[in-house]
Amino acid sequence: MTKAYQWMVLLISVTMFANFLFTASLGVYKTIHAFSIFWKGGIQAKPGLEIIESLDLFLVALVFLILALGFMKLFYPDFSFLKKINLSWLVIQDFYQLKQLTWNAILLTLLITFCTQVLKSNGVLDWPMLIIPGAVFLFSVSSKLLKH
């Protein structure tokens, strides 16, 4: 039974890594598109909005990468490739550390998503737009409570 779980974790990690690659590729595409907008229309064409959207995609990609590497580090600690990855912010020894790191990355992603929607709205803010800041607030409070 243990082998089945290990294969399942490996499949999940590979799938999340594929999601990371796909989302990062979309972020690169959005960035190139922003530069083409800038070259064609200048600052008046608002290329900054595309750049912020690409930042949002890169942050979502980072969440996928953190989860993929985190699961691999937890379930396959002797994997030779993972021993070469020694990032100070990616030290994961249990699920709590993985959850905290993922939680903070999702918080930042939600904040950038809200800023993008505010910029897209051109100053007209509707009530449904308060869902994202409410989610950021709830994530922040629960993250603070988990630390104590």
Side-chain angles (χ1 to χ4, degrees):
M1 232 3 141
T2 306
K3 284 288 187 188
Y5 291 130
Q6 286 179 336
W7 279 104
M8 193 178 340
V9 169
L10 183 63
L11 178 67
I12 290 169
S13 296
V14 168
T15 304
M16 281 191 275
F17 192 76
N19 288 339
F20 157 73
L21 291 174
F22 179 74
T23 310
S25 300
L26 283 177
V28 169
Y29 171 77
K30 280 271 194 192
T31 303
I32 293 170
H33 187 250
F35 282 115
S36 71
I37 288 173
F38 176 72
W39 291 119
K40 289 179 185 174
I43 298 292
Q44 295 80 15
K46 297 184 180 179
L49 187 60
E50 290 283 322
I51 291 174
I52 291 174
E53 287 178 353
S54 71
L55 174 65
D56 195 26
L57 285 169
F58 287 131
L59 288 171
V60 170
L62 181 65
V63 169
F64 283 128
L65 181 64
I66 288 170
L67 286 171
L69 290 176
F71 280 140
M72 288 298 289
K73 281 188 170 203
L74 286 175
F75 289 95
Y76 294 97
D78 297 329
F79 196 59
S80 63
F81 173 72
L82 294 174
K83 289 182 179 181
K84 295 177 185 176
I85 300 174
N86 292 327
L87 303 172
S88 61
W89 58 272
L90 194 59
V91 175
I92 299 170
Q93 296 175 0
D94 58 6
F95 276 114
Y96 178 75
Q97 289 174 334
L98 178 61
K99 182 175 63 171
Q100 282 297 116
L101 187 59
T102 307
W103 208 262
N104 291 335
I106 290 173
L107 259 172
L108 183 61
T109 304
L110 282 173
L111 186 64
I112 298 297
T113 301
F114 176 68
C115 292
T116 304
Q117 289 196 359
V118 167
L119 289 174
K120 280 183 179 179
S121 69
N122 291 325
V124 180
L125 301 176
D126 296 331
W127 282 102
M129 289 185 70
L130 292 177
I131 292 172
I132 294 176
V136 168
F137 174 73
L138 290 175
F139 268 100
S140 300
V141 168
S142 58
S143 177
K144 184 70 173 175
L145 291 174
L146 284 175
K147 288 182 182 177
H148 294 292

